[in-house]
Amino acid sequence: MADSFMGKAATMEIPINSNGETLAEDDSLEQAAKIQWTLDEKDLQQVMVSGPNLNETSIVSGGYGGPAGGIIPTSSIKDLRMKSRGQVVGLVPSQSAASRIANQNQTDQPFTGSGMHHSNSNQNMSVEEANRGVAVEKLDSVKKWGINTYKCTKQMFSERFGRGSRTVDLELEAQIDVLRDTKRKYESVLRLTSALTSHFYNMVQTQQALGDTFADLSQKSPELRDEFGYNAETQKLLCRNGEALLGAINFFVSSINTLVNKTMEDTLMTIKLYEAARLEFDAYRADLEELSLGPRDAATMVRIEVSQQQYQVQRDKYERLRSDVTIKLKFLEENKVKVMHKQLLLFHNAISAYFAGNQQQLEQTLRQFNVKLKPPGSDKPSWLEES
């Protein structure tokens, strides 16, 4: 059997091309090669056991292209056997190799997933920590606001029912009362002058329409041309002087409105902040006094120290706002006197010149106070705006 196998192996022809590469045969040739290389291992072992010692013998081959003298060493046959085994094993991996590959894949795959899981978990933890920090800050701010609101409400009811004391600056409180009373009176002046402006504007418009009507009738009534002409000229003159007075009154109203609704209102807003700071200061002062009258254990001493710090903060805030109110009241008084001196003089001179019929004096008054009149018809929208 060994001789027939080696004879077939030695005499098997493999076609090649001109480049030395093997040419593919049909399926029968491929199947024959596979059968020859995958001989039964038991038959090979039986040949090796029953035959002579292959390490000490050699085989003479009668094939073509063999070694010189036709002698093939037995070591080449042994190498050929080992190569055939390796090719068969390489084509069909053993159960142990497949299991090792599967185990390696199983071990590698969870490792990659665990790494991704750790990175995702770290990111989630950082996001959760950031959100937790924001939530803690909001909770602390709400807690501080709640405590502050409770103390201020308690202090306010105590003052209203006469159970608590309040810090009072008599001089400053008197100035604040005067400012509020002055603001109410100035608002009344502003309301009345605005009404006067509206009524006077309607009168000027009526005079203008009446003058136009007189002028038209003077053209259509020859027998009354002079009379209608005199009246038309008089109404036009009154209308022109009325527009000048109307400009002066509008300037007066605008200045009073700025003084009342901007300057005084800004000072009153600062006063409101000052009063709120005063209430907070008295609330923390009352809290500190209440803690000071209690027992002096370790926990109470810590609370007293914290309350002392809060009291100092509120005291600094109260004193700062009181200083701001004092300064603003001083500047407001100076500004009020300066503005009202100019505006009252303008109002008096313009009214006097108008009702005296002194057109030159009225125009001079407007120039003196830099009052610029709007051209006639400037209040009406243009034809572009109407379209």
Side-chain angles (χ1 to χ4, degrees):
M1 185 182 297
D3 294 337
S4 62
F5 167 73
M6 296 307 297
K8 289 181 179 180
T11 58
M12 184 176 59
E13 295 182 358
I14 300 175
I16 59 174
N17 58 8
S18 59
N19 294 328
E21 298 176 353
T22 59
L23 296 175
E25 295 290 335
D26 55 358
D27 295 337
S28 61
L29 183 59
E30 252 180 320
Q31 188 68 23
K34 288 182 180 179
I35 293 173
Q36 290 175 0
W37 288 106
T38 56
L39 290 175
D40 191 18
E41 189 176 359
K42 293 183 180 180
D43 294 338
L44 290 175
Q45 290 178 358
Q46 186 175 3
V47 170
M48 295 299 295
V49 172
S50 61
N53 190 358
L54 296 178
N55 292 329
E56 298 176 356
T57 60
S58 61
I59 300 174
V60 178
S61 175
Y64 297 98
I71 300 174
I72 300 176
T74 55
S75 60
S76 299
I77 298 175
K78 191 173 184 180
D79 294 337
L80 182 60
R81 180 184 173 214
M82 296 302 294
K83 287 181 180 180
S84 64
R85 282 190 180 182
Q87 290 178 358
V88 173
V89 173
L91 291 173
V92 183
S94 62
Q95 184 65 26
S96 61
S99 61
R100 283 197 301 270
I101 293 173
N103 293 333
Q104 185 176 0
N105 292 332
Q106 291 177 358
T107 54
D108 291 340
Q109 192 170 1
F111 178 77
T112 305
S114 63
M116 294 176 63
H117 176 70
H118 284 303
S119 61
N120 293 332
S121 62
N122 291 334
Q123 293 178 358
N124 294 333
M125 288 177 63
S126 61
V127 173
E128 290 178 358
E129 290 178 356
N131 294 334
R132 190 181 297 111
V134 174
V136 169
E137 291 179 0
K138 290 183 179 180
L139 183 61
D140 291 340
S141 62
V142 171
K143 182 180 178 181
K144 291 179 181 179
W145 174 83
I147 295 174
N148 185 59
T149 303
Y150 167 75
K151 291 182 178 181
C152 293
T153 305
K154 180 181 177 182
Q155 177 65 23
M156 182 178 62
F157 280 104
S158 298
E159 293 177 0
R160 287 190 177 182
F161 291 105
R163 298 178 181 177
S165 60
R166 64 188 298 265
T167 303
V168 179
D169 189 338
L170 296 178
E171 183 179 359
L172 186 60
E173 293 290 338
Q175 294 178 1
I176 292 174
D177 292 339
V178 170
L179 173 60
R180 286 173 173 161
D181 184 64
T182 303
K183 186 174 183 292
R184 286 192 295 269
K185 293 178 180 179
Y186 274 54
E187 286 175 346
S188 178
V189 171
L190 180 61
R191 183 174 60 255
L192 293 174
T193 52
S194 298
L196 176 63
T197 302
S198 177
H199 297 320
F200 195 77
Y201 174 77
N202 293 329
M203 187 186 73
V204 170
Q205 295 297 317
T206 303
Q207 288 176 343
Q208 184 178 1
L210 187 60
D212 293 339
T213 303
F214 285 156
D216 184 58
L217 288 173
S218 67
Q219 297 294 331
K220 296 181 179 180
S221 303
E223 65 278 3
L224 297 174
R225 179 178 300 173
D226 295 338
E227 289 79 2
F228 277 123
Y230 296 152
N231 281 279
E233 291 296 331
T234 302
Q235 294 299 322
K236 288 181 181 180
L237 179 61
L238 290 174
C239 181
R240 186 163 56 250
N241 293 339
E243 289 176 352
L245 178 62
L246 192 61
I249 296 176
N250 284 329
F251 187 76
F252 177 82
V253 171
S254 177
S255 300
I256 297 298
N257 181 60
T258 302
L259 179 64
V260 173
N261 294 324
K262 291 185 178 180
T263 308
M264 289 185 178
E265 188 65 28
D266 179 71
T267 305
L268 288 175
M269 287 298 296
T270 307
I271 290 173
K272 290 180 181 179
L273 295 176
Y274 158 74
E275 291 176 346
R278 196 275 311 163
L279 183 63
E280 291 180 358
F281 168 69
D282 286 337
Y284 282 93
R285 177 182 56 80
D287 187 43
L288 179 61
E289 291 176 355
E290 183 179 356
L291 289 175
S292 300
L293 296 176
R296 296 300 185 90
D297 54 355
T300 306
M301 292 302 296
V302 173
R303 293 179 60 189
I304 290 175
E305 184 178 358
V306 173
S307 180
Q308 182 69 32
Q309 295 176 358
Q310 295 175 348
Y311 165 78
Q312 189 63 36
V313 171
Q314 296 299 327
R315 181 179 179 180
D316 295 339
K317 180 180 178 181
Y318 165 73
E319 292 180 352
R320 184 180 69 255
L321 287 173
R322 182 177 63 178
S323 176
D324 293 343
V325 170
T326 303
I327 294 173
K328 284 195 173 184
L329 286 173
K330 180 180 178 181
F331 282 108
L332 175 62
E333 185 66 23
E334 295 176 357
N335 188 29
K336 182 190 71 174
V337 172
K338 186 185 298 184
V339 170
M340 292 308 299
H341 175 75
K342 177 180 178 180
Q343 296 302 320
L344 290 173
L345 187 61
L346 167 66
F347 190 80
H348 174 268
N349 292 343
I351 292 290
S352 300
Y354 173 79
F355 285 100
N358 191 345
Q359 183 180 0
Q360 295 180 353
Q361 182 65 30
L362 181 59
E363 293 177 353
Q364 183 180 356
T365 301
L366 297 180
R367 288 193 299 268
Q368 178 183 356
F369 293 96
N370 297 322
V371 179
K372 296 181 180 180
L373 298 178
K374 295 181 179 180
S378 61
D379 295 335
K380 297 180 180 180
S382 64
W383 62 273
L384 288 174
E385 294 176 349
E386 290 179 352
S387 61

